[in-house]
Amino acid sequence: CVRREAMPGCQSARWSRRCCFILVPALNVSIGQDVIDAQMWQISSGPCRVDAQGCVQSPGYPSFYTDDTACQISITAGNSRAISVRRFATEASYDVLTVDGKSFSGTTGPEGVIPSDSIHWSADYSINDAGWKLCPSDISSGVCTEGFSGDDSEYRGCQTRTQSGYTCQAWADDSPHRNPNFKSYRYPNSDLRGNFCRNPAGIRSG
């Protein structure tokens, strides 16, 4: 099973040869002890969890987290990398993720932070939100090795190339392909920076 994703300049579901596509095998991942040992983080306490891709998630994600919950997430020595925020939505000032002593809440997550100490999550007794998903970015070598699965509407990683090796067009550019629809002001929560791979409309095909 593969997914075909239109790059900027492709409008609607009508595909053309002018468009670039990403063909991505669906992932079927199991976690062994060697993978767990190599993970960037592990749950020390609380209902947060680490998924099969090594991303840490708020309790119940992708559903809303529940009230009055807390987690402690430990960082594996030697495996700390920059955080790639895939989703971040909490009650501002009250439901807080703390990374290296800095508090994050609302829609501002710890993008690019390389944690050196445990991460703490705390939600108060009322009002919840969609929660958060944080993944480690492999950017130390200047090459992004992250893959995709599903429709990747929540992908916020470092990938800038298609599976075929083509460099993605910057979201702000209208050349070589016109891109009037997919602009940051239309999708303010989709992180349309630079030429990072994103799927703001949640297009799924293939």
Side-chain angles (χ1 to χ4, degrees), residues 43-127:
I43 307 303
S44 300
S45 63
C48 298
R49 74 180 190 93
V50 177
D51 68 13
Q53 294 178 314
C55 301
V56 66
Q57 304 173 352
S58 56
Y61 186 89
S63 300
F64 278 32
Y65 55 82
T66 56
D67 299 331
D68 198 22
T69 56
C71 298
Q72 179 168 318
I73 303 157
S74 61
I75 303 301
T76 306
N79 287 346
S80 186
R81 287 178 281 169
I83 293 174
S84 171
V85 176
R86 305 294 179 84
R87 180 77 177 274
F88 201 90
T90 75
E91 183 190 8
S93 302
Y94 293 97
D95 298 343
V96 178
L97 188 76
T98 303
V99 183
D100 287 352
K102 184 176 181 179
S103 297
F104 298 89
S105 66
T107 58
T108 302
E111 179 68 35
V113 175
I114 303 175
S116 59
D117 203 352
S118 294
I119 296 172
H120 300 272
W121 162 249
S122 178
D124 72 357
Y125 60 89
S126 66
I127 306 177

